[in-house]
Amino acid sequence: MEIVCLGLSHHTAPVELREKFAIPEHAVATSAVELSRQSGVSEAVIVSTCNRVELYAAGETPPEAFDALARFIAARAGEPGDAFFRHASQRSVQHLFRVVSGLDSMVLGETEVLGQVKKAYQAAQQAGATGRHLNKLFQRAFNVAKEVRTNTNITRGSVSVGSVAVELAEKIFGRLRECHVMILGAGEMSELTAGALQARGVKAIFVANRTYDRAAELAAKMGGKAIHFDDWANDFHVVDILIGSTAAPHPVVTVEKIAPLMRTRQDRPLFCIDLAVPRDFEAAVNNLEGVYLYDIDSLQQIADESMSVRQQEVVVCEQLIARHVTEFSEWLAAGPRPAAEFRTHPEGGRP
Amino acid sequence: MDRLFLVASTFCFLLGFAYSMHALGARVYRPSRLNFFSILAGFLCQTAFLYLRGEKIGRCPLTNLFEVFIFLAWSMVLFYLLIGPTYRLSLLGVFTSPLVFILQIGALLLPVLDKTVAVKVAVNPWMELHAAASIVAYGAFALAGIAGVMYLVQERQLKTHHLHSIFFHLPPIRDLAVANRRLILTGFALLTVGIASGFAVGSLSSHLVKIVWSVGVWALYGFILSAELSHRLSPRRGAWLSVVALALVLCTLWGIRFIDQAAA
């Protein structure tokens, strides 16, 4: 039995092509069943996400299986062209292991794809499109993904400015449910960052802007409270995260202004995110006890460092994956097991 | 037989210690089940040792420096097991096991510490309470010191923007500050009980040095606690002081006990 994979991804195809061949979520299970009934194919799983459409199949020979997969695609959305890659045997196994480990993702090391592949596999399994080979392959793939995440730094840190800000906030405050956020200057970057914090459940958002109407507009959009720019210090004592994004030519938040206010906070830390250029926060603010100031460059630097660490980890991940590919291939080459073992197979798929 | 349990316990903490070193080297620094279970197994062996030792001598096993060290190590692990999961401080174990291992290996390798008391003195419940409560209090202070170190490590990284691998696996600084404060509070309450029951034992004049030292430690932690609770001491300074206070206690415990025994 051979494992093959035919598909396209963000590496090989633009979004227009990916959306043309994408299979809607509700149709994934039935399509997998349909595919598994094609001649030359005995088992099938279809992974369709915004970044990839991949068809995994088990068949007696790769050419027959590829023909079946190509026929299936052609019948649905047109002939698979050059954008489609074809992996057979060890290459297809390695490809799946790399995908679930986040090595093939647009953002290296991201973990969302694992959940998407799990969902695709479960849909195919429940619909009866998988058997012992693909069951074994996908179960092994999920174990590999777990091992990669646990034993390497491939998922370490955040790799975008917004997610770095959220991660830092969580390292200062723990859960963000009790945190109050104040935005100084209703810019796009501050909105995005506050949105990322809001998604983690912050308690309240205050928006202060030179133009009150713009503050009110953004506050309404985010379910927060608009305040007059000159009054921002009045609400400062409840604020945990202060985001600066004004167009002011000089620092808005200075040591002179903030030091007396810090005394009213009863040792609560303050996380300052300066997204403005020129900067809104005086650099010396970071020297104040309990204040953690990050400007756009330092956030970007952390994101870059995390990405660099992830890239360095790729070699370790590839070695780990190679070991599992070899083990799986040996299992596959050994052929069918005695019936007793087969019946007690935990996945309970069809033979 | 009792020492066998102690050796087994020390081996378990050695495993935890080795894991910590390996994790540091590999830069994959996160809590692991191996570390937790090695600490749990070490704790059970410690408990068995203390139980057997207590049965053997007919009192709380705090009759010499050897037993004090083991009881102190046991108290630290007890607090780790109690508060670690509550405050999501599982990484505390990574810091705890090396300290406990060093305490126990020191006690095991220095047989002179395990001098048995020649004269069997009648068991005094006040004395038992005094000794046990005081040592458990020091266990809480030790763990507060460890939480303090973790706070300072995390705080420095946040201030300097240099985030190392450990940053991603350490708890939030606010949780660490809360844990540090609560451990000091617990230790202070226990030490108060320990000192009060010590006064109830009597024969104060023969233990004057130890009493002054104990009251000094009590006052030091009382100061840290009151300053933290009244917000006169920032969490960072509180963390520093808890580390300094712990170092002071660990450095003087031996000497004070030695002077006290000589004076008695």
Side-chain angles (χ1 to χ4, degrees), chain A residues 150 171 286 288 291 294, chain B residues 30 158-159 161 170 173 236:
Chain A
T150 309
K171 282 297 176 190
N286 193 46
L288 292 172
V291 179
Y294 286 76
Chain B
R30 51 173 63 98
L158 280 166
K159 273 284 186 194
H161 304 176
L170 277 172
I173 52 167
R236 189 176 71 89

Side-chain angles (χ1 to χ4, degrees), chain B residues 124-131 194-204 207:
Chain B
N124 180 338
W126 286 113
M127 176 60 107
E128 302 285 293
L129 178 63
H130 159 69
I195 289 177
S197 51
F199 281 117
V201 174
S203 64
L204 302 180
H207 296 290

Side-chain angles (χ1 to χ4, degrees), chain A residues 208-210 227-234 257:
Chain A
N209 198 55
R210 294 266 179 215
I227 51 177
H228 290 282
F229 193 80
D230 293 337
D231 298 338
W232 70 264
N234 295 345
K257 194 162 196 172

Side-chain angles (χ1 to χ4, degrees), chain A residues 107-123:
Chain A
V107 177
L108 182 65
E110 62 96 4
T111 52
E112 198 184 344
V113 67
L114 175 62
Q116 291 167 331
V117 175
K118 271 185 180 170
K119 219 170 165 183
Y121 164 67
Q122 278 162 2

Side-chain angles (χ1 to χ4, degrees), chain B residues 170-214:
Chain B
L170 277 172
I173 52 167
R174 195 148 77 175
D175 289 1
L176 287 166
V178 170
N180 176 267
R181 190 174 298 174
R182 289 190 183 170
L183 281 162
I184 292 176
L185 180 66
T186 309
F188 183 74
L190 284 164
L191 190 61
T192 307
V193 171
I195 289 177
S197 51
F199 281 117
V201 174
S203 64
L204 302 180
S205 56
S206 55
H207 296 290
L208 208 57
V209 176
K210 197 170 146 191
I211 290 167
V212 170
W213 181 79
S214 303

Side-chain angles (χ1 to χ4, degrees), chain B residues 113-147:
Chain B
L113 299 177
D114 197 13
K115 277 192 290 190
T116 47
V117 180
V119 183
K120 187 151 183 157
V121 185
V123 174
N124 180 338
W126 286 113
M127 176 60 107
E128 302 285 293
L129 178 63
H130 159 69
S134 303
I135 296 297
V136 176
Y138 291 130
F141 291 146
L143 222 58
I146 292 173

Side-chain angles (χ1 to χ4, degrees), chain A:
Chain A
M1 188 62 71
E2 294 282 353
I3 306 287
V4 298
C5 172
L6 177 75
L8 46 73
S9 72
H10 58 98
H11 293 301
T12 62
V15 65
E16 302 82 42
L17 206 56
R18 297 203 301 274
E19 65 190 12
K20 180 184 169 191
F21 289 97
I23 296 169
E25 196 179 331
H26 63 84
V28 162
T30 49
S31 301
V33 173
E34 190 188 328
L35 180 58
S36 68
R37 287 178 185 154
Q38 302 268 328
S39 69
V41 169
S42 56
E43 305 169 35
V45 173
I46 297 173
V47 178
S48 180
T49 72
C50 52
N51 281 333
R52 64 188 70 247
V53 179
E54 297 182 352
L55 280 57
Y56 292 87
E60 282 305 322
T61 64
E64 283 180 29
F66 279 132
D67 283 348
L69 297 181
R71 276 199 310 275
F72 175 80
I73 287 172
R76 293 181 69 90
E79 284 296 325
D82 294 341
F84 276 79
F85 54 79
R86 288 170 163 78
H87 296 315
S89 307
Q90 288 204 2
R91 286 269 291 154
S92 61
V93 175
Q94 184 201 32
H95 177 74
L96 176 64
F97 290 179
R98 292 186 84 254
V99 167
V100 292
S101 303
L103 299 189
D104 198 60
S105 297
M106 199 176 264
V107 177
L108 182 65
E110 62 96 4
T111 52
E112 198 184 344
V113 67
L114 175 62
Q116 291 167 331
V117 175
K118 271 185 180 170
K119 219 170 165 183
Y121 164 67
Q122 278 162 2
Q125 191 209 15
Q126 281 163 12
T130 65
R132 67 189 296 262
H133 301 98
L134 287 192
N135 283 336
K136 184 87 175 174
L137 173 69
F138 277 82
Q139 293 295 342
R140 174 62 74 103
F142 303 144
N143 288 338
V144 170
K146 189 180 173 192
E147 200 176 324
V148 164
R149 277 210 315 270
T150 309
N151 296 333
T152 74
N153 283 318
I154 194 70
T155 58
R156 205 195 88 168
S158 302
V159 290
S160 71
V161 167
S163 53
V164 167
V166 171
E167 185 164 38
L168 288 168
E170 286 178 335
K171 282 297 176 190
I172 295 169
F173 303 104
R175 291 181 191 139
L176 302 182
R177 271 179 294 183
E178 295 303 314
C179 288
H180 294 73
V181 179
M182 183 182 277
I183 303 170
L184 301 177
E188 191 187 344
M189 275 296 281
S190 58
E191 185 184 337
L192 281 173
T193 309
L197 289 164
Q198 195 177 34
R200 302 307 274 258
V202 293
K203 193 172 183 178
I205 294 179
F206 301 97
V207 185
N209 198 55
R210 294 266 179 215
T211 316
Y212 183 78
D213 289 348
R214 173 73 185 117
E217 189 187 321
L218 181 58
K221 193 174 170 186
M222 306 198 84
K225 180 188 166 192
I227 51 177
H228 290 282
F229 193 80
D230 293 337
D231 298 338
W232 70 264
N234 295 345
D235 288 305
F236 180 77
H237 63 286
V238 297
V239 171
D240 302 289
I241 302 168
L242 187 59
I243 302 172
S245 171
T246 75
H250 51 75
V252 175
V253 183
T254 59
V255 172
E256 196 184 7
K257 194 162 196 172
I258 216 174
L261 297 173
M262 283 305 290
R263 288 189 207 112
T264 64
R265 300 173 52 81
Q266 300 198 323
D267 299 330
R268 280 190 7 260
L270 177 70
F271 180 31
C272 300
I273 305 169
D274 193 349
L275 302 171
V277 181
R279 287 176 292 174
D280 277 345
F281 291 71
E282 200 175 52
V285 164
N286 193 46
N287 299 336
L288 292 172
E289 189 94 51
V291 179
Y292 305 97
L293 170 63
Y294 286 76
D295 60 27
I296 188 82
D297 280 1
S298 46
L299 292 172
Q300 188 59 56
Q301 192 186 339
I302 292 169
D304 292 346
E305 280 170 6
S306 293
M307 182 49 84
S308 166
V309 168
R310 289 186 184 195
Q311 280 162 348
Q312 286 168 24
E313 290 295 299
V314 169
V315 178
V316 184
C317 298
E318 295 284 12
Q319 287 169 351
L320 198 149
I321 286 172
R323 182 167 55 80
H324 283 282
V325 170
T326 307
E327 281 175 16
F328 181 81
S329 300
E330 284 169 4
W331 174 84
L332 198 63
R337 295 290 191 279
E341 186 200 325
F342 182 65
R343 277 197 300 273
T344 55
H345 200 269
E347 292 87 16
R350 69 196 175 99

Side-chain angles (χ1 to χ4, degrees), chain B residues 28-239:
Chain B
V28 182
Y29 211 84
R30 51 173 63 98
S32 81
R33 273 188 218 161
L34 169 76
N35 199 39
F36 178 79
F37 284 112
S38 67
I39 289 176
L40 185 65
F43 177 74
L44 294 175
C45 291
Q46 274 178 330
T47 310
F49 164 78
L50 290 170
Y51 173 77
L52 290 175
R53 183 56 79 101
E55 285 283 298
K56 195 167 148 187
I57 61 176
R59 64 183 63 217
C60 187
L62 284 166
T63 59
N64 59 35
L65 209 52
F66 171 80
E67 290 169 2
V68 166
F69 277 176
I70 306 307
F71 206 93
L72 182 60
W74 178 83
S75 309
M76 285 168 60
V77 180
L78 174 71
F79 277 108
Y80 160 68
L81 292 173
L82 286 177
I83 74 144
T86 313
Y87 294 108
R88 294 179 288 137
L89 300 179
S90 43
L91 206 68
L92 208 58
V94 175
F95 287 76
T96 307
S97 47
L99 190 55
V100 171
F101 170 72
I102 290 165
L103 269 176
Q104 291 198 177
I105 200 77
L108 276 170
L109 293 178
L110 293 169
V112 68
L113 299 177
D114 197 13
K115 277 192 290 190
T116 47
V117 180
V119 183
K120 187 151 183 157
V121 185
V123 174
N124 180 338
W126 286 113
M127 176 60 107
E128 302 285 293
L129 178 63
H130 159 69
S134 303
I135 296 297
V136 176
Y138 291 130
F141 291 146
L143 222 58
I146 292 173
V149 170
M150 290 165 75
Y151 179 95
L152 293 169
V153 168
Q154 193 74 321
E155 211 262 353
R156 183 170 167 70
Q157 294 189 87
L158 280 166
K159 273 284 186 194
T160 60
H161 304 176
H162 293 303
L163 311 182
H164 301 283
S165 175
I166 194 170
F167 173 83
F168 300 97
H169 307 298
L170 277 172
I173 52 167
R174 195 148 77 175
D175 289 1
L176 287 166
V178 170
N180 176 267
R181 190 174 298 174
R182 289 190 183 170
L183 281 162
I184 292 176
L185 180 66
T186 309
F188 183 74
L190 284 164
L191 190 61
T192 307
V193 171
I195 289 177
S197 51
F199 281 117
V201 174
S203 64
L204 302 180
S205 56
S206 55
H207 296 290
L208 208 57
V209 176
K210 197 170 146 191
I211 290 167
V212 170
W213 181 79
S214 303
V215 172
V217 171
W218 180 83
L220 176 61
Y221 277 103
F223 164 74
I224 299 172
L225 193 61
S226 66
E228 279 197 336
L229 292 176
S230 60
H231 303 290
R232 280 180 287 120
L233 196 67
S234 68
R236 189 176 71 89
R237 288 181 189 177

